Amino acid sequence: MKKGLIKGGVLLLLFLGSLGATAAFINRDKTVGTRKMEEATLPIAYMEVEERLINPMYGYAREMEQQYMRNGLTPLPSTRELTMVLEPLESKIESVNYQVSTADGTTVVETGRISSLTEDGEYLRGKIKLEIPILMNQEYTLRFDVNLKDGETYYYYTRILQRAVSNLNEYLDFAENFYQKCLSEETSSELTAYLEPDETQTNSTYASINIHSSFDRVTWGEMEMSLEKKAIPVIKDMNETTCSISMEYVLSDQEEEEEKEYYNVSDFYRLRYDQSRVRLLDFERKTEELFDGEHTKLTSTGINLGIVDKSVQYQSNKNADIVAFVQAGELWSYNRSANKTTKVFGFRDDVLDDRENLQKHGIKIVRVEESGDIDFVVYGHMNRDVHEGDVGITVYHYGAELNQINEQLFIPMNTSYEYLKNDMEQLSYISRDDILYLMLEDDLYQIDIKKNSYTILQENIQQDCCVVSKSQASLAWMNEMQENASTSITVMNLEEGTSNLIQAPQGQKCKALGFINEDLIYGLANEGDIVTDSAGNVTFAMATVRIQQFDGTVVKEYHEDQVWVKGINLKEGSVEMERIQWENDAYVPVSSSHIMNNLQKNEETVSIRLITTERKATEIGLDFDKSVTNNNVLFVDSNIVNTDKISTIDLDIIRQESNIYYVYAKGILDSTWTKVSEAINRAEQQMGVVLNRQQQYVWERGNRDDSHQINPEEVPEAVLSGTLDENTLQQALGEEYHVLNLTGCSLDSILYLVNKGNPVIAKVSNTENVVIVGYDKFNTILYYPSTQETKYYGLQDSTSLFGEAGNVFIGYMDSMGEPSKGE
C-alpha cells in the first residue's frame, strides 16, 4: 500500500512536471525570440540664421537622390557663410564634410570639410564659407556628411538659395509669434487683423482650419492648449515677393480628472513683406490627436479617435468585430468582442522626441483577417530600430494570437518620403500568396516575398492611362499608353495574378475610366467623334460607357444617340457622366446623367461617425454594427519577432524621361501631373508652385512684377510666327527650349512666363493668333504676326478675348542645362 502511494506520488510529480514543462515550452514560443523596438540614436542637424535654429534635418543612412530632397530652404547671405548646428544626442561626432550640387543633383559645385565644431551646451556648431559663387535666385542642394566615431556616415540635406533681399527675420518672427499668440487669451486678439473669416465655412472641426476659419477656431476655442514642444521653423519656399514657412509643434489639453491629451500640430504660412510690415497671404493648420491606447475612449457604438481628419484610414474584418486604423503615424487595432486595444506598430514612445515623433512615413493597411491578423506596409523614413535612417518599404504581418509583428521584406529606396508616398498611394498591394505589387516611377513591379525576387510586369505606365480600384486589388492600363488613341485595355486581378484583354471594336478607341469595387468602367469612342483643336487639345467623345466584371460580363452599359460622354465622376457607387452634344461645329456640355452598379457592395462594415462636443467641436469615431458597453478596455503593445537576417531586396528603378510636373503647396508635395496646364491650375487653386522633373520652377503663384515688356526683336522667329502647333514650334526652337501647352490656364497665370522673359502665343479667333510680349497694371501688350505690329489691350478685355477663344495658350521655357558656377 505504501509502495503504491509512493509510486502514485511519483507519477503525480512526473505529470505535474511534464505539465509545467509543456506550459513553459508553449510560453517560450510566445515570448522567446521577440523584442521591443530599438531606441533612436542619430543626431539631428539644423541651420542657423538670424541667431535662431531653422530647417531641422534628420539623418539618412545612404546617399539620397538630391533632386527629391526638398524639405527646407536655407538663404545664403552675400558673404556666402553658413552655420550648421548638430544636436548629437546619443551619438559621438567625428567630423562633418559638405557638398554643394545643382538642384537636379547632376553637377557637384563644391566640396569641403567643416574645420572645427565648437561645443555650445547640448549643441555643436560648425561654419562653412562657399569658395565658389553660385547663381543668384537659383536653388542648390547642400549635403552634410556626418561621420560618427563608430565608423558610420549619415547624410543630411537642405537647399540653399542666394537672393538680394529676403526680409527673413521679419518672416520668422511673424510665424513664431502667430502660433504662440493663438495659445494666449491676452495676445490672441492681435491676430484678428490677419484673418479673413468666411461665414460660409462650417468651422466644425479643429482637424483642419485656414485663414478663412473663425477667430474662435484659430485660437482653440474652449480648449486650454499648452505648448509641450516648440516649433522650429522650416522655410519651404522663398522668392522676390513671398516666403512660405512651416511650423510643427506639440500641444496638450486636459479636462478635469481626465488623462492629458497630446496633439501634433502643423501650421503653414505664406507671407509677403509689404510697406514695412508682413502680410499673411495664406494660413493653414492641420491638427491630429495622438491616440492613447492605454486610455481608449469608447462610445455606446464604437471607439472615439478624437480630433483627426475624417479621411482617417481604417479597415475591418468581414464580421465587423475588429478594426485596424492609422493615426498620427501609428497602426492600432481594436477588438470589440475582446474589448482590447493593440498598438500594432509605431515609432513613437516619447511624444517630445523629435526623431520618434517625426511624421515622414506612411502606413498602408492591406487586409484585416477574421482572426485579427493584419497585413500592412510601412514606407518612408524609418525613425528608429534596425532600419533607422533608411528610406524604404517594409512589409509586415501581425499575428494576433501571439501579438507579434514579423518583418517579411525590406526594400531600400533613395528618394524622399513625399515622392515615395505619391507612388505608394497609387498602388501597393499584397496578395494572400505573398506577392507584393508596387507602382514605382510608372513601372509595375511584382515582388515575390517568399522567393525574394521581382519582375517588372509593365514598364512606363502613364498616369493618365491607368486606373486602380479602391482596394488596389485591381488595375487596368491602356496598352498603347495614349490617353485618347488606345485600342485595347489590360485588366489585372492582383489577388490572382491574372490579366484579361479588352479590345475596342474596329473603328473605335477605348479609355479606362475607373473602378466600382473590382468592376472596370471604360468608354468606347468612334474615331470620327474624337476631335482635336488647333492647340492639340483632344475631346474624347465616348458613345458608350460600360461597367464590366473581370470575367468579361458587362453589368451596365450607357449609350444615347446624339449624346456623348466626355468624362466621369465616381460618387458612392454611382457613375456621374459629363455629357456633351455637337452644336455649331463644336462639343457643348449638357446635363449630367448617372448609372448605378446593381452589384455595388458596401465593403465598409465599420463606419465613420462624427461626434460633436462643445469643447473639441467635431471628433471622429468608428462605429460597429453591435453596441459597445464595457469601458474596461485591455491595452497591449505588440512585440517584434527577432530574426537573425532581414530579408532585403534592391530594386533596379529606372527614372523615366517623360515630363512630370510636381505641385508643391501648403509646404508639401501636393500632386503630380503629366499636363503642365493642369499642374498650373492646381497650383493656382492651392497657392503653390510647379516644378518639372529637373526641379526647375515652371510656375509660381504671385511671383511676378507689376509690369514687364519683351522686345520682339529678341524673341525667336518661330514664336513670333504665332503658331499653335506644339511639334512645329518645338522643332524650330530646338533642345534649348521646352514648349508648354498652357491651354486652359488663366491669363493671370500665363503672365508669369511673360514676366520671366518668354512670350506666350494666344488664340484670339479661328483665323488669328497673337503673341503676348508684355503687360502692365492695366493692359496686355500684344504682337500681331499678321501685321507685325505691337498694341496695348485692356486686361479685362484681354481676359474676355482669350476666354471666348477657349484660353488656348502655348508657351515655352529654357531647358535645364549645366548652370554656370559663378557670375
Side-chain angles (χ1 to χ4, degrees):
M1 179 72 177
K2 186 176 180 180
K3 290 182 178 179
L5 290 173
I6 293 173
K7 183 177 181 181
V10 171
L11 290 173
L12 178 62
L13 289 172
L14 288 172
F15 171 76
L16 292 174
S18 174
L19 184 63
T22 301
F25 180 79
I26 294 173
N27 189 57
R28 182 181 70 87
D29 280 349
K30 293 184 179 180
T31 58
V32 175
T34 64
R35 61 178 179 84
K36 292 299 182 180
M37 187 172 288
E38 296 178 7
E39 298 295 327
T41 63
L42 298 186
I44 303 175
Y46 311 88
M47 300 306 295
E48 186 176 62
V49 299
E50 306 288 354
E51 298 184 346
R52 70 178 98 198
L53 299 183
I54 66 167
N55 296 346
M57 297 172 279
Y58 299 89
Y60 291 88
R62 64 185 66 209
E63 295 183 44
M64 308 298 288
E65 292 183 277
Q66 298 189 38
Q67 66 268 37
Y68 300 118
M69 309 306 293
R70 290 190 52 82
N71 184 50
L73 176 66
T74 301
L76 181 70
S78 57
T79 59
R80 300 200 298 278
E81 293 180 344
L82 291 169
T83 301
M84 180 258 212
V85 178
L86 272 172
E87 188 176 8
L89 299 167
E90 295 82 3
S91 296
K92 303 296 183 183
I93 310 298
E94 179 70 29
S95 61
V96 179
N97 299 331
Y98 66 89
Q99 174 183 288
V100 178
S101 304
T102 54
D104 63 348
T106 59
T107 304
V108 175
V109 176
E110 183 176 332
T111 61
R113 181 187 181 97
I114 294 181
S115 58
S116 64
L117 294 170
T118 58
E119 291 191 23
D120 181 9
E122 60 190 34
Y123 298 110
L124 298 174
R125 277 178 169 76
K127 294 183 179 295
I128 65 172
K129 180 174 182 179
L130 302 189
E131 299 298 330
I132 301 175
I134 62 174
L135 292 175
M136 293 287 290
N137 303 325
Q138 182 164 310
E139 289 184 7
Y140 292 78
T141 300
L142 173 59
R143 188 188 81 192
F144 294 101
D145 302 355
V146 178
N147 307 303
L148 305 184
K149 289 188 176 180
D150 63 6
E152 297 291 334
T153 299
Y154 292 90
Y155 305 93
Y156 295 77
Y157 295 85
T158 186
R159 294 172 288 147
I160 58 174
L161 175 71
Q162 188 168 17
R163 290 197 187 279
V165 180
S166 67
N167 302 307
L168 181 60
N169 201 37
E170 290 81 1
Y171 289 139
L172 293 172
D173 282 343
F174 182 94
E176 185 164 336
N177 289 333
F178 190 98
Y179 88 91
Q180 295 201 43
K181 285 180 179 179
C182 289
L183 302 171
S184 170
E185 290 185 9
E186 297 177 357
T187 58
S188 59
S189 60
E190 300 173 19
L191 304 177
T192 55
Y194 301 102
L195 300 177
E196 303 172 8
D198 184 348
E199 294 181 358
T200 62
Q201 290 204 168
T202 60
N203 288 300
S204 62
T205 178
Y206 287 105
S208 180
I209 65 172
N210 56 47
I211 196 172
H212 302 298
S213 298
S214 69
F215 171 78
D216 190 56
R217 284 289 172 262
V218 174
T219 56
W220 300 106
E222 297 296 320
M223 301 184 73
E224 297 182 2
M225 289 293 202
S226 298
L227 183 60
E228 297 284 346
K229 185 73 175 179
K230 289 185 65 176
I232 296 179
V234 178
I235 302 172
K236 292 296 186 177
D237 281 297
M238 186 171 61
N239 56 43
E240 291 90 340
T241 58
T242 65
C243 179
S244 296
I245 297 175
S246 176
M247 308 282 277
E248 295 183 355
Y249 49 101
V250 179
L251 300 180
S252 68
D253 184 33
Q254 188 171 15
E255 278 191 295
E256 286 187 27
E257 301 180 1
E258 296 287 340
E259 296 296 323
K260 183 181 288 188
E261 298 164 340
Y262 291 92
Y263 302 84
N264 277 343
V265 187
S266 177
D267 286 3
F268 172 80
Y269 304 88
R270 186 166 177 264
L271 308 168
R272 172 180 288 164
Y273 193 77
D274 185 20
Q275 296 179 350
S276 302
R277 65 183 292 267
V278 175
R279 290 182 54 201
L280 181 62
L281 301 179
D282 193 21
F283 165 70
E284 186 163 302
R285 174 183 293 155
K286 300 291 184 183
T287 302
E288 189 166 22
E289 186 171 343
L290 307 188
F291 188 78
D292 183 0
E294 294 187 66
H295 304 94
T296 302
K297 295 182 179 180
L298 299 180
T299 66
S300 60
T301 54
I303 183 171
N304 186 347
L305 306 184
I307 297 177
V308 295
D309 193 88
K310 63 181 179 180
S311 63
V312 59
Q313 181 192 173
Y314 72 95
Q315 192 174 143
S316 70
N317 62 350
K318 290 182 180 179
N319 288 334
D321 203 48
I322 300 172
V323 64
F325 57 94
V326 177
Q327 188 165 337
E330 297 177 323
L331 175 61
W332 295 85
S333 172
Y334 175 71
N335 186 320
R336 188 195 64 84
S337 296
N339 202 31
K340 179 176 71 174
T341 298
T342 303
K343 182 180 179 181
V344 178
F345 181 90
F347 290 119
R348 181 177 50 247
D349 284 337
D350 181 2
V351 65
L352 302 184
D353 188 319
D354 290 338
R355 297 165 302 176
E356 293 186 10
N357 197 28
L358 180 64
Q359 300 294 297
K360 294 295 182 183
H361 66 277
I363 300 175
K364 166 71 181 299
I365 304 169
V366 178
R367 70 174 55 83
V368 180
E369 301 286 6
E370 293 308 291
S371 62
D373 288 7
I374 304 171
D375 291 308
F376 65 100
V377 177
V378 180
Y379 58 92
H381 189 276
M382 304 298 165
N383 301 13
R384 54 190 282 209
D385 206 48
V386 293
H387 300 300
E388 183 181 8
D390 275 319
V391 171
I393 303 165
T394 314
V395 179
Y396 287 103
H397 176 79
Y398 169 70
E401 182 179 2
L402 298 180
N403 190 38
Q404 297 174 353
I405 60 172
N406 183 21
E407 180 178 328
Q408 297 177 299
L409 182 67
F410 178 69
I411 305 172
M413 307 289 289
N414 57 359
T415 188
S416 70
Y417 160 65
E418 288 188 322
Y419 285 82
L420 181 57
K421 178 176 181 283
N422 187 69
D423 283 340
M424 294 295 291
E425 289 182 345
Q426 184 180 6
L427 177 66
S428 50
Y429 184 81
I430 308 169
S431 74
R432 285 186 165 83
D433 291 331
D434 289 331
I435 303 297
L436 170 66
Y437 294 91
L438 299 171
M439 190 82 76
L440 301 173
E441 277 292 314
D442 298 334
D443 291 342
L444 176 61
Y445 287 78
Q446 182 187 59
I447 303 166
D448 192 315
I449 296 173
K450 294 177 180 177
K451 295 180 179 179
N452 200 39
S453 62
Y454 74 94
T455 302
I456 299 179
L457 295 181
Q458 181 67 41
E459 295 182 349
N460 198 21
I461 298 179
Q462 301 296 315
Q463 289 186 26
D464 50 13
C465 296
C466 176
V467 292
V468 181
S469 65
K470 182 179 179 181
S471 70
Q472 298 195 347
S474 302
L475 80 156
W477 64 84
M478 290 155 348
N479 292 302
E480 290 87 350
M481 296 302 164
Q482 297 184 55
E483 183 184 8
N484 300 301
S486 292
T487 60
S488 62
I489 299 171
T490 294
V491 189
M492 191 164 184
N493 180 328
L494 300 185
E495 187 59 48
E496 303 296 331
T498 56
S499 60
N500 286 330
L501 186 70
I502 296 175
Q503 188 71 48
Q506 186 71 27
Q508 291 187 328
K509 304 295 183 184
C510 56
K511 178 178 287 192
L513 302 173
F515 282 91
I516 292 185
N517 288 333
E518 309 308 317
D519 297 342
L520 175 67
I521 311 164
Y522 69 96
L524 296 170
N526 297 316
E527 292 178 353
D529 294 336
I530 303 172
V531 175
T532 304
D533 65 20
S534 57
N537 300 293
V538 179
T539 300
F540 190 83
M542 295 171 280
T544 304
V545 174
R546 289 175 179 165
I547 303 175
Q548 183 169 313
Q549 294 178 334
F550 183 72
D551 62 5
T553 303
V554 177
V555 295
K556 280 287 182 179
E557 179 174 293
Y558 171 85
H559 172 82
E560 186 175 347
D561 290 341
Q562 303 306 311
V563 176
W564 292 263
V565 177
K566 181 181 180 181
I568 68 164
N569 296 304
L570 293 177
K571 294 184 177 179
E572 300 295 330
S574 70
V575 182
E576 180 188 35
M577 295 176 294
E578 300 174 3
R579 303 190 306 165
I580 52 178
Q581 287 182 334
W582 185 257
E583 294 180 7
N584 300 322
D585 296 327
Y587 286 112
V588 295
V590 295
S591 61
S592 61
S593 181
H594 295 77
I595 54 175
M596 301 289 294
N597 184 4
N598 293 336
L599 300 179
Q600 167 74 6
K601 302 174 184 177
N602 182 11
E603 296 180 342
E604 295 182 357
T605 51
V606 172
S607 59
I608 288 284
R609 177 189 175 195
L610 303 183
I611 303 169
T612 303
T613 63
E614 183 176 349
R615 171 172 159 261
K616 297 173 70 173
T618 300
E619 301 176 72
I620 299 299
L622 296 177
D623 271 12
F624 295 86
D625 292 336
K626 299 179 181 179
S627 63
V628 177
T629 56
N630 187 351
N631 287 320
N632 297 318
V633 183
L634 174 66
F635 166 73
V636 294
D637 195 348
S638 67
N639 296 303
I640 302 172
V641 175
N642 201 8
T643 55
D644 294 332
K645 184 179 180 181
I646 296 173
S647 180
T648 302
I649 187 169
D650 289 297
L651 302 181
D652 183 18
I653 297 177
I654 302 172
R655 298 298 181 194
Q656 305 295 339
E657 296 298 326
S658 57
N659 288 320
I660 293 290
Y661 299 96
Y662 304 99
V663 174
Y664 280 86
K666 317 296 185 184
I668 62 173
L669 176 62
D670 173 83
S671 52
T672 63
W673 305 82
T674 57
K675 297 178 180 177
V676 64
S677 58
E678 294 177 351
I680 291 174
N681 287 337
R682 174 65 181 178
E684 170 75 20
Q685 178 188 6
Q686 297 296 311
M687 296 189 177
V689 300
V690 180
L691 278 73
N692 60 15
R693 192 182 287 276
Q694 291 74 36
Q695 302 303 295
Q696 289 175 286
Y697 280 84
V698 177
W699 187 87
E700 299 173 81
R701 168 72 182 259
N703 184 25
R704 62 178 175 86
D705 300 328
D706 290 336
S707 62
H708 188 82
Q709 185 169 358
I710 304 164
N711 184 351
E713 295 180 0
E714 299 175 358
V715 177
E717 188 61 35
V719 177
L720 289 181
S721 70
T723 179
L724 291 174
D725 189 307
E726 288 183 71
N727 293 330
T728 300
L729 185 58
Q730 185 66 71
Q731 290 176 5
L733 292 175
E735 296 181 357
E736 184 179 354
Y737 299 102
H738 177 67
V739 174
L740 304 171
N741 189 333
L742 306 169
T743 298
C745 293
S746 66
L747 173 60
D748 186 67
S749 292
I750 64 98
L751 291 181
Y752 170 85
L753 280 87
V754 178
N755 183 68
K756 297 303 178 183
N758 294 333
V760 174
I761 303 168
K763 178 181 178 181
V764 296
S765 70
N766 290 332
T767 58
E768 187 174 29
N769 304 326
V770 296
V771 183
I772 306 173
V773 295
Y775 64 91
D776 58 29
K777 290 184 177 181
F778 308 104
N779 305 281
T780 59
I781 305 172
L782 308 181
Y783 174 85
Y784 289 79
S786 58
T787 62
Q788 298 183 353
E789 293 179 307
T790 300
K791 299 179 181 179
Y792 283 76
Y793 207 79
L795 275 176
Q796 290 187 354
D797 292 337
S798 297
T799 300
S800 299
L801 178 69
F802 300 137
E804 291 171 0
N807 278 335
V808 179
F809 302 114
I810 299 293
Y812 65 99
M813 63 181 291
D814 299 347
S815 295
M816 175 69 82
E818 181 175 336
S820 168
K821 296 181 181 178
E823 60 174 13

